Amino acid sequence: MTDRRRACLVVPTNRECAATLAEVVAEAEYAARHFDVDVHLLVLDSSEHFAEHAAILSRARNVWHLDDDRQRDFLRRVVAGADVTKPDLLLDLMHPRALSYGACTNRAFLIAAALGCDTVHRRDSDLYFQTYAGEKVFPIHAELSALGRPARDVVATEDRLDDSHRDLPVAMAGASFVGSMSVDIEDIRDHDAYYDLVSLWAAPGSSDEEKRALVEESFTGSAPFDGDHTVLSVVDPMRVDMHNISFSGLHERVPLPPAMDTIGSDYFLIHVADRAGLPGLLHNRHIVNFHTAERKSDAGFLAYQMRFAKFILSMYYLHFVYQRMTTDDPADIATLVRASTWQPREPNETTAEEMEAAYRRLGGRFTGVADQVRERRDALLIEARRDMDDYALLIDAWAALIAAARETPV
């Protein structure tokens, strides 16, 4: 007899999200009913609404609801149990003082290992699920049907996988979203400067045609669910989003960049799966994305736009890695990450200038963003490069941290 599979369904949050948590509780219950799997619901809760969230979660089984103190205590014990250099820095990279999309997901990966989970299923706190024919459309249905299984055994609507990859296990399953744009810039899509701003995240050397195509599809969603459609393939990173993603195995080999105050820093593994040719399942159980009221406030708006600015500057280094990466071997990836920092800074300085000009052309409160980009220009450029040095250090330590996490109680 073999042990039942264990799945970790995780929601990181720093905001009130009781309605979303109720939806995810229902998804966990659905998975337990329909699959031979033990579902562990993990909520990493840095918000001021812990008690309210706890009331929602009390109706579910196998819940791990951890505030910042419990998360940091767990990480401290993991680091102490791992033979790593610079343990204090690693602890700060995994639980920084500022917001980090990559770091919160890395914490989930380590806790999932401690719980003995085979798969990790990531959701965000600003989503709900579609309804079709009177039933909720849960992504975990498609994810558990494929994750970790040999690709040759997976049944999909379409099979585009090369024969040479069929003996490999499915490492990733994901989909996209419907609703609001994944990056909150929908209000400026009709402005002349929209292209100037969004095209800045294109890979160096992209043609005008490639930039136009990128801008057209960036941060936009997909068609509403109208019945299951799945594709077994090496998944195009542009087709999936991190609020609707799941991994098997890959997340224990390579962590995510722990960059602070940078949107998109948690998408790295999607690119690893693509560049390494790992089998994946692309499905159409898209979540519904929405923007919270806080993001529309003056303070929330400025903070979010500065995270977007940092994302654009970080792409100078990330594109270097993506264009050269051919494997999911951690040592090879760490070497590329370090090499990316040896590039001259001048091209990214030009990007910062063009970004400031685009924000200034947008006018209104975007002028305040332009002022911040100009005022913090050198600091942002330094941080974007330093983030990659930190990331390489974390990749080096990741195997030891995962091994220690497996021996550390939550």
Side-chain angles (χ1 to χ4, degrees), residues 335-361:
T335 297
L336 284 174
V337 170
R338 286 192 171 91
S340 75
T341 67
W342 303 340
Q343 299 176 96
R345 200 179 83 160
E346 288 78 8
N348 226 21
E349 293 175 350
T350 299
T351 297
E353 294 167 2
E354 293 174 346
M355 179 166 55
E356 179 193 340
Y359 271 123
R360 208 166 293 285
R361 282 188 62 205

Side-chain angles (χ1 to χ4, degrees), residues 219-359:
F219 320 127
T220 57
S222 299
F225 184 82
D226 60 356
D228 279 302
H229 185 93
T230 54
V231 181
L232 184 66
S233 66
V234 175
V235 176
D236 179 351
M238 292 294 288
R239 303 276 76 81
V240 292
D241 282 85
M242 273 300 292
H243 46 198
N244 192 359
I245 201 74
S246 58
F247 297 105
S248 174
L250 179 59
H251 63 287
E252 294 191 343
R253 294 195 293 276
V254 184
L256 293 166
M260 290 185 288
D261 294 320
T262 310
I263 69 167
S265 58
D266 50 349
Y267 279 68
F268 192 89
L269 288 189
I270 296 172
H271 291 271
V272 175
D274 172 43
R275 302 303 298 161
L278 302 180
L281 187 78
L282 177 66
H283 63 87
N284 66 334
R285 289 178 168 247
H286 311 303
I287 60 89
V288 182
N289 183 56
F290 66 91
H291 297 156
T292 62
E294 183 276 334
R295 190 180 292 179
K296 302 296 185 182
S297 68
D298 287 342
F301 167 81
L302 182 59
Y304 187 84
Q305 292 301 323
M306 293 307 296
R307 292 176 204 141
F308 183 61
K310 181 85 176 294
F311 157 74
I312 288 174
L313 296 178
S314 73
M315 290 310 303
Y316 178 57
Y317 301 101
L318 291 171
H319 278 310
F320 179 96
V321 178
Y322 297 158
Q323 290 172 338
R324 293 162 177 80
M325 186 164 52
T326 60
T327 175
D328 62 340
D329 180 82
D332 290 346
I333 294 173
T335 297
L336 284 174
V337 170
R338 286 192 171 91
S340 75
T341 67
W342 303 340
Q343 299 176 96
R345 200 179 83 160
E346 288 78 8
N348 226 21
E349 293 175 350
T350 299
T351 297
E353 294 167 2
E354 293 174 346
M355 179 166 55
E356 179 193 340
Y359 271 123

